[in-house]
Amino acid sequence: MDTIKGKVRDFLVGELNLPISQEELKDDTPLLSSRLIDSISALLLVEFLEKQYGIEFKPHEVSHDNLDSLDLIAAFVEDKQGGHA
Amino acid sequence: MYAFTPSAEQEALRQEIVDFATAHLNGGEELRDREQEFSREWWVAAGRIGLPGLCIPEAYGGRGLDPLSTLLALEALGYSCRDNGLNFALSAHLLACAAPLWLFGSEGLKKAYLPGLCRGELVAANAMTEPSSGSDAFRMQTVAVEKGDAFRISGSKSFVSNGPVADGVLLYAATDPARGFLGGISAFWLDRRLHEYKAGEPLRKMGLRSCPLSELFFDNMLVDSSFLVGRTGRGAMIFNRSMEWERACLGGCHLGNMQRLLEMATQLVRDQLAGGIPRHERQSASFALADMQARLESVRLLAYSAAWKMGEGKNVTREAAMAKLAVSELYKKLTLEIATLFGAAGLAPGEVERSQRDAVSSTIYSGASEMQKSIIAQTMGL
Ligand SMILES: Cc1cc2nc3c(=O)[nH]c(=O)nc-3n(C[C@H](O)[C@H](O)[C@H](O)COP(=O)(O)OP(=O)(O)OC[C@H]3O[C@@H](n4cnc5c(N)ncnc54)[C@H](O)[C@@H]3O)c2cc1C
């Protein structure tokens, strides 16, 4: 769980240049609903997660429910990897 | 950090395109502009040196260029082919149709269509904009309803470049309208011979007149699932990627066009000086040209750096938007400023006059300037 969050945090701050520091970006910081992540970045995040973790988002899974915080993202990835989702 | 000098291969590529275009892609552009005429013959000629497939891998018939080399190639084309409409038609075909098909299409679609698209045998169009959705493209009304192994698509698209002459169309339609951008849009490849859609009459417009634009109409059109590009719901991602290619590379044509016009204006002033006009009397023109050269070089570097970064596989959302914004805004201004230096001659039908008309729409397509500012602002947390 921690490594997923760490990698995604690196990607968001380092690669997507979100205007927030690694320290400020908490596990429960709202990403999409706060507009910290814009719609284009959300799609880039989905691409990153699919490549990095070998998972596939179904159309309805590309949503706030799974992408709105590091906690939600990590839970979704773990679910997918565990074959639950 | 990247080098600011082109490699030997990039120099050779530039020279090859300049030589070819100078010899084979010039002549008759004024007539085509007047008549709003697209030339298949010239398209096929462009295919002889792989212009329609610059960035597509060689395995699919392309030239396998990275984004920066693609930009440099389009700059060479813009510099040496005076038909800006043809240059635009080729770039839109390459960057918004062939490139996304290569990046997201199935192996079957790629093998079936990319070689023809790269060799100049096929013309492609991309259809996103609709009568009621332009900048807010993802609010589209065109819907694709899945029925077994196929989709039924209904709706219409507008301002489709190459629309009336296209053999293939990359079409975006809503597969889940309520979801919109996030998972609700899908991309389809249409084959003119297989899919039943109608193209409207070419629209009359002020510039880029040799690149025909039209509406496309879909009335319950049946499209087999094998023509889906990428997975269902991936349309926004595909469109976004294609727009990044356009924003990073299409400006090459504009940079080349601006450079050529600047050289023509410089020659004009030099001739005036050589003809005996005192230097101080032409100082305002010299200063204007010096200023234009500096501004052109600064946006050129911005475009090069965006394309270079893209080639490094980095996220270029902001860089591509900045390059697109800066190049197109300068294109519009500089073509007018240069025409002013030509006096009344700058208004007579010809290259200087035509370039002004051709430049106007550059701040609209691939996302209007306000949209580029909106993207840049979002990446700044605004
Ligand atoms: C030469 C040419 C070729 C084209 N080729 C294609 C093609 O091949 N395929 C295709 O699908 N489309 C194509 N288009 C269409 C093009 O993508 C649209 O024209 C463009 O997206 C703008 O949409 P619109 O014309 O509906 O203008 P609108 O979206 O109505 O915008 C009008 C003005 O309002 C501004 N504006 C809109 N929304 C906002 C906002 N939220 N904030 C601030 N300002 C805003 C815009 O910047 C613009 O200045 C082409 C257009 C041109 C001119």
Side-chain angles (χ1 to χ4, degrees), chain B residues 3-52:
Chain B
F4 285 92
T5 39
S7 66
E9 294 87 63
Q10 287 167 336
E11 284 285 12
L13 173 74
R14 182 189 148 74
Q15 200 54 51
E16 178 195 355
I17 293 172
V18 169
D19 290 347
F20 182 88
T22 305
H24 304 290
L25 295 179
N26 280 310
E29 55 274 355
E30 244 161 68
L31 183 69
R32 287 199 297 281
D33 174 63
R34 201 163 52 238
E35 303 295 327
Q36 287 224 137
E37 188 187 302
F38 170 79
S39 167
R40 260 293 163 170
E41 196 186 323
W42 291 61
W43 188 271
V44 172
R48 287 196 346 240
I49 55 162
L51 290 169

Side-chain angles (χ1 to χ4, degrees), chain A residues 4-42:
Chain A
I4 295 177
K5 288 182 197 169
K7 281 220 166 88
V8 176
R9 187 179 275 111
D10 281 350
F11 175 75
L12 293 176
V13 179
E15 216 16 65
L16 292 187
N17 298 318
L18 291 201
I20 188 170
S21 70
Q22 296 250 7
E23 294 71 39
E24 287 167 326
L25 180 54
K26 307 282 183 232
D27 290 355
D28 60 353
T29 303
L31 298 172
L32 273 85
S33 54
S34 65
R35 292 178 56 89
L36 193 56
I37 289 191
D38 61 79
S39 45
I40 292 179
S41 301

Side-chain angles (χ1 to χ4, degrees), chain B residues 32-79:
Chain B
R32 287 199 297 281
D33 174 63
R34 201 163 52 238
E35 303 295 327
Q36 287 224 137
E37 188 187 302
F38 170 79
S39 167
R40 260 293 163 170
E41 196 186 323
W42 291 61
W43 188 271
V44 172
R48 287 196 346 240
I49 55 162
L51 290 169
L54 290 169
C55 59
I56 308 301
E58 290 172 17
Y60 297 110
R63 293 204 50 160
L65 301 182
D66 57 47
L68 180 55
S69 301
T70 302
L71 171 66
L72 293 171
L74 291 176
E75 187 179 358
L77 180 69
Y79 179 73

Side-chain angles (χ1 to χ4, degrees), chain B residues 88 92-93 96-97 124-137 157-163 170 172 205 207-208 211-214 239 243 246 358 360-372 374:
Chain B
F88 175 76
H93 157 102
C97 309
N126 92 92
M128 171 56 117
T129 308
E130 298 187 0
S132 61
S133 60
S135 299
D136 51 353
K157 294 286 171 179
S158 51
F159 302 114
V160 180
S161 302
N162 296 340
L170 185 60
Y172 297 91
K205 57 188 185 342
L208 300 174
C211 170
L213 255 73
S214 74
F239 181 70
M243 284 301 106
E246 266 203 3
D358 290 339
V360 170
S361 58
S362 65
T363 59
I364 301 173
Y365 53 69
S366 322
S369 286
E370 289 72 18
M371 292 301 107
Q372 307 308 325
S374 162

Side-chain angles (χ1 to χ4, degrees), chain B residues 86-266:
Chain B
L86 174 70
N87 299 343
F88 175 76
L90 281 165
S91 309
H93 157 102
L94 171 68
L95 304 166
C97 309
L101 186 63
W102 154 51
L103 291 167
F104 297 96
S106 67
E107 209 43 45
L109 286 179
K110 290 198 271 196
K111 285 205 173 110
Y113 294 101
L114 283 177
L117 292 171
C118 293
R119 286 196 295 257
E121 290 155 13
L122 302 174
V123 178
N126 92 92
M128 171 56 117
T129 308
E130 298 187 0
S132 61
S133 60
S135 299
D136 51 353
F138 295 99
R139 295 222 186 104
M140 62 180 62
Q141 306 286 314
T142 298
V143 287
V145 181
E146 197 164 4
K147 293 251 166 73
D149 285 342
F151 290 81
R152 288 274 177 192
I153 303 181
S154 295
S156 70
K157 294 286 171 179
S158 51
F159 302 114
V160 180
S161 302
N162 296 340
V165 295
D167 305 291
V169 177
L170 185 60
L171 168 71
Y172 297 91
T175 34
D176 188 347
R179 304 198 72 80
F181 192 86
L182 289 178
I185 309 292
S186 300
F188 299 86
W189 181 256
L190 305 183
D191 180 328
R192 186 65 183 255
R193 294 161 311 174
L194 301 176
H195 299 110
E196 288 183 5
Y197 66 89
K198 285 201 182 72
E201 284 297 305
L203 301 172
R204 296 195 63 75
K205 57 188 185 342
M206 69 183 287
L208 300 174
R209 286 163 59 85
S210 56
C211 170
L213 255 73
S214 74
E215 290 182 285
L216 298 181
F217 303 96
F218 316 97
D219 182 10
N220 212 21
M221 173 182 64
L222 187 67
V223 179
D224 191 86
S225 307
S226 58
F227 285 87
L228 197 56
V229 177
R231 301 204 305 274
T232 310
R234 289 310 160 103
M237 202 176 273
I238 295 169
F239 181 70
N240 180 45
R241 187 55 59 84
S242 78
M243 284 301 106
E244 256 173 33
W245 272 91
E246 266 203 3
R247 287 167 193 154
C249 296
L250 198 148
C253 295
H254 311 336
L255 293 170
N257 188 188
M258 284 191 271
Q259 184 62 45
R260 191 179 67 247
L261 294 172
L262 198 53
E263 287 176 14
M264 286 167 63
T266 304

